[in-house]
Amino acid sequence: MKLDTKVVILLLIVTTTVTFSGCVEEKEVIPEPESLHNDTTNISVVNLTLLPGIENGLEIRIVSFSSLYMRDNWDEETRELTYYPSEWYYAAYNLSIKNNGSDAIDFEVNDLQLRARGRVFNTTTQKLHNSSRLEVLADLGNENRIEDMTLSLSPGQTVNGSVVFCVDSLYDQSFLLMYGAIPVTSASFEESLEVLEAAERFDYSVAFDIPPYDIERVMNSYEPDPEAHWIWANWVNRSVFEFYKTADFEAVQRSPPDRMPLTVIRYAVKVMPERNITVVSGDRLLVIDDFGEELINKSWSEGIAIRRKQSYESQPGRAIEIPQMNIPDATIVQISFEGTIGSDMSMRLSYSNQDVILDDELNMMLARYYPVKFVS
């Protein structure tokens, strides 16, 4: 049964989007603009003489970090499609906050700020809704959010939760989380950002033994064809994401007003700093750390790659056999992507989720990929 165009658009927006009200949006997309946010100020001199993350017995540890990019061309005010997509960037920190002192301590969430490239960003109360097709967003939606509150911690008490910042770009080395005048960081977290960059630059065709693009009538290809009607992602790194970000925007610009397509881009990366981990043998990707905490538990997969000396063993398909692996000082990177474009009942929908485990020398030791491709 053919659905009305606006019904299809609304369904897609509801099921895949994040609520964005309150985060200032930019209409100019290419070239990439400088966003203007109401919650930013200029950076002042920071006192770096205090121990990172410690204040009067208060210890703040970064459990994981996520960087998000969202874009679509649906105008909520006019309830119509537009030639000028709105885009948003978010940074999310999952924190462990512990009182190591002998007295109760108040933790002020509003004292957390993110500094980046000469600007300061305050926490936002934007709700990052669950998205079942994008695993990084689903994880963020399930995390406990701590916002606009004072947490009173008893001696020895630990509170875990996430804070979100509406920023003006994807992550880079300038990102610095602050609690008041104290930088919240660690050597392992700083190194994890380098690992994240390595995971984004990696050519996964080497490991998965499959090119990045699945093109209509051409099948798998190392080079995208911007003129092709349907192009799906087999896997995603930063260059694949940038291709869709540009190509889908240009496709909208070329379309006549009466045939303007909906376009949705979601790109989310998450990094968990160095941990000693065990990959449990079996037919699913199950990863635990040396405290027994479950870090990954994924049964759905289109294939995995395992590093064997200087090459990779690729296991395509869903019948995978993962050996037991113990990886010290490992960093986990997770990547989720959505690229949707089209109109009415003719839409290309491409989703991709990946889990990547790297060792302390930036070698990719194991990776799982799970693309979903269809046309509505």
Side-chain angles (χ1 to χ4, degrees):
M1 179 177 65
K2 186 173 183 180
L3 298 178
D4 179 79
T5 301
K6 290 191 176 181
V7 173
V8 173
I9 292 171
L10 287 173
L11 285 173
L12 283 165
I13 294 295
V14 168
T15 57
T16 64
T17 194
V18 176
T19 301
F20 295 122
S21 59
C23 182
V24 176
E25 62 190 53
E26 292 297 323
K27 294 295 184 180
E28 186 70 24
V29 176
I30 298 177
E32 192 168 88
E34 291 186 6
S35 302
L36 299 175
H37 297 286
N38 292 329
D39 56 354
T40 63
T41 58
N42 291 328
I43 283 186
S44 58
V45 176
V46 180
N47 182 357
L48 298 176
T49 61
L50 300 176
L51 291 177
I54 304 294
E55 182 182 42
N56 299 325
L58 186 67
E59 178 183 354
I60 308 172
R61 182 172 63 89
I62 298 173
V63 178
S64 67
F65 166 75
S66 301
S67 184
L68 319 172
Y69 173 81
M70 317 284 182
R71 188 185 79 191
D72 65 59
N73 67 329
W74 175 255
D75 191 314
E76 284 291 344
E77 292 185 2
T78 64
R79 311 298 292 174
E80 294 179 348
L81 296 173
T82 173
Y83 279 112
Y84 302 100
S86 300
E87 61 179 5
W88 303 265
Y89 296 90
Y90 292 93
Y93 290 81
N94 188 287
L95 304 174
S96 173
I97 306 160
K98 182 179 180 180
N99 180 0
N100 286 322
S102 57
D103 299 316
I105 297 177
D106 286 340
F107 174 79
E108 302 289 346
V109 177
N110 288 337
D111 285 345
L112 284 171
Q113 293 182 326
L114 178 61
R115 304 188 175 220
R117 294 176 306 283
R119 307 186 74 184
V120 173
F121 302 92
N122 297 316
T123 58
T124 178
T125 58
Q126 299 312 303
K127 302 299 181 183
L128 303 182
H129 292 180
N130 283 341
S131 174
S132 60
R133 294 190 183 278
L134 300 177
E135 294 169 354
V136 173
L137 287 182
D139 289 345
L140 283 171
N142 292 329
E143 288 177 359
N144 175 47
R145 285 283 294 274
I146 50 176
E147 52 192 23
D148 289 342
M149 64 177 70
T150 299
L151 301 176
S152 182
L153 280 72
S154 303
Q157 182 181 3
T158 300
V159 174
N160 293 303
S162 60
V163 291
V164 178
F165 300 87
C166 185
V167 292
D168 58 6
S169 70
L170 285 168
Y171 75 95
D172 61 38
Q173 292 293 332
S174 72
F175 276 28
L176 179 61
L177 182 65
M178 304 288 295
Y179 182 64
I182 303 170
V184 181
T185 188
S186 65
S188 63
F189 177 72
E190 296 299 328
E191 291 172 3
S192 72
L193 292 184
E194 297 179 9
V195 178
L196 179 53
E197 291 178 354
E200 281 196 294
R201 290 194 303 266
F202 190 79
D203 179 2
Y204 290 95
S205 62
V206 174
F208 297 143
D209 196 26
I210 186 172
Y213 303 103
D214 182 358
I215 302 176
E216 183 185 27
R217 292 190 297 273
V218 177
M219 299 301 289
N220 296 324
S221 173
Y222 288 95
E223 295 296 330
D225 180 1
E227 301 302 320
H229 194 53
W230 307 121
I231 306 177
W232 296 271
N234 288 322
W235 48 261
V236 175
N237 60 11
R238 179 65 77 93
S239 65
V240 173
F241 155 64
E242 293 290 351
F243 161 73
Y244 281 96
K245 183 181 176 185
T246 301
D248 287 4
F249 174 83
E250 292 176 347
V252 170
Q253 298 300 298
R254 293 194 302 265
S255 64
D258 60 339
R259 296 175 57 191
M260 186 184 303
L262 168 71
T263 177
V264 178
I265 296 284
R266 306 278 184 257
Y267 180 71
V269 292
K270 177 181 178 181
V271 62
M272 288 179 255
E274 292 178 356
R275 304 201 192 183
N276 299 323
I277 66 168
T278 297
V279 179
V280 180
S281 63
D283 59 358
R284 64 191 295 127
L285 181 57
L286 176 60
V287 180
I288 60 175
D289 64 13
D290 51 4
F291 297 103
E293 181 182 354
E294 189 176 280
L295 305 178
I296 304 176
N297 190 345
K298 305 287 177 61
S299 58
W300 290 94
S301 174
E302 202 60 39
I304 63 166
I306 301 171
R307 184 179 175 87
R308 303 289 194 186
K309 296 183 179 179
Q310 301 302 315
S311 62
Y312 290 97
E313 172 193 298
S314 175
Q315 296 184 26
R318 299 186 179 183
I320 59 175
E321 290 294 333
I322 301 176
Q324 178 120 343
M325 302 172 65
N326 296 306
I327 308 174
D329 297 326
T331 299
I332 295 173
V333 175
Q334 297 174 303
I335 304 174
S336 290
F337 168 78
E338 174 191 353
T340 294
I341 191 168
S343 57
D344 203 3
M345 298 301 290
S346 180
M347 304 191 73
R348 176 261 286 155
L349 299 101
S350 181
Y351 301 90
S352 182
N353 292 287
Q354 289 159 217
D355 297 282
V356 186
I357 301 173
L358 300 98
D359 67 11
D360 58 354
E361 295 182 352
L362 302 186
N363 296 311
M364 194 196 76
M365 303 303 293
L366 184 147
R368 157 195 172 264
Y369 68 106
Y370 182 43
V372 177
K373 319 164 194 175
F374 59 96
V375 176
S376 69

